[in-house]
Amino acid sequence: RVPRIGNELPVFIGDGSTRHREINAIPAVRSGNGKSILYLPNNYTGEALYLAPYFRANDVLYTEWQIWLLTTLREMGYEVTIKFHPGEAPGNVEMLSRYAHRADSGSIDLARFNDRCLLFDFAGTAFFDALASPKSVALIDSGIRPLDPTARRDLAERCALVSGYTDERNRFRVDTEDLRDAIMQAMDSPGCSPTFFEKYYCASRT
């Protein structure tokens, strides 16, 4: 709405995001074993490859990375559930499910999951939703989709960030100790702070 008083300039008042207020209010329930991770990957682009390579990795690189990551997490002792995008192709779901302890293809409803850490490797819609929740969040930053410096500082206060890299064969990788530290940091996080929520999800005045 745009209230106006006399000849003064209008004041724009937003109502914020109702959806994210609901996400922010879900119970902060986390399993007690300290080893459960919910991995929420991006979906594959398919043969069309309609997105530029600086925005999304192609399917071959992404598949190799996912297999490596899931295998590495299991070797590190974590119990991994992979939460597929609801629109992911059944063949891709079947292929990757064998590398995780559990697989889920249902709706992305964070209230359904009690894992100690939500792990992302792409800052997309599901990641933005998770930041609004009381859940623990970690992001592997591959560098494909660069983060704004200001936003990165805010993100570092809300979630654990770990930088990835490409090796001599141009494969995506992350240092395993840095990954472990980020997961542990995320598990100790209290979730979305009122300050972060107010800044990114609530009403603003200009």
Side-chain angles (χ1 to χ4, degrees):
R1 60 193 179 93
V2 186
R4 186 181 181 90
I5 302 175
N7 294 322
E8 296 181 5
L9 292 175
V11 177
F12 296 90
I13 301 177
D15 293 329
S17 170
T18 301
R19 167 181 166 77
H20 290 103
R21 291 184 189 278
E22 295 173 352
I23 292 174
N24 187 251
I26 65 176
V29 180
R30 305 171 187 175
S31 64
N33 64 9
K35 290 292 184 180
S36 59
I37 292 177
L38 182 68
Y39 171 49
L40 299 95
N42 201 4
N43 63 322
Y44 290 112
T45 60
E47 294 182 0
L49 291 177
Y50 62 94
L51 291 171
Y54 58 80
F55 184 74
R56 291 269 290 274
N58 68 60
D59 291 354
V60 174
L61 283 175
Y62 198 42
T63 301
E64 196 280 334
W65 153 253
Q66 288 182 304
I67 293 174
W68 180 88
L69 177 62
L70 291 168
T71 302
T72 299
L73 288 171
R74 295 188 62 166
E75 290 175 349
M76 294 167 68
Y78 292 107
E79 298 177 8
V80 185
T81 299
I82 181 169
K83 171 65 192 78
F84 292 99
H85 188 283
E88 189 56 84
N92 296 333
V93 172
E94 181 181 359
M95 171 186 64
L96 289 172
S97 294
R98 70 189 69 176
Y99 296 99
H101 291 89
R102 291 170 294 277
D104 189 291
S105 299
S107 64
I108 304 178
D109 179 3
L110 296 179
R112 296 197 297 117
F113 302 100
N114 299 328
D115 300 87
R116 290 293 303 278
C117 177
L118 308 184
L119 180 63
F120 295 85
D121 57 18
F122 184 80
T125 303
F127 174 70
F128 189 64
D129 288 350
L131 293 179
S133 78
K135 305 288 187 178
S136 299
V137 179
L139 172 66
I140 300 171
D141 180 13
S142 67
I144 289 181
R145 191 179 187 184
L147 299 172
D148 175 83
T150 300
R152 188 180 184 89
R153 287 193 294 271
D154 289 341
L155 280 176
E157 296 181 2
R158 166 60 184 98
C159 73
L161 295 174
V162 56
S163 296
Y165 63 91
T166 54
D167 66 9
E168 68 281 355
R169 297 173 60 187
N170 289 323
R171 300 175 301 182
F172 293 123
R173 290 293 183 264
V174 65
D175 182 86
T176 54
E177 289 305 311
D178 289 346
L179 178 60
R180 188 191 304 275
D181 289 345
I183 291 171
M184 293 178 63
Q185 177 187 340
M187 288 182 175
D188 290 335
S189 167
C192 184
S193 70
T195 301
F196 186 91
F197 188 81
E198 181 74 22
K199 183 172 183 178
Y200 286 96
Y201 302 98
C202 291
S204 61
R205 293 171 180 265
T206 58

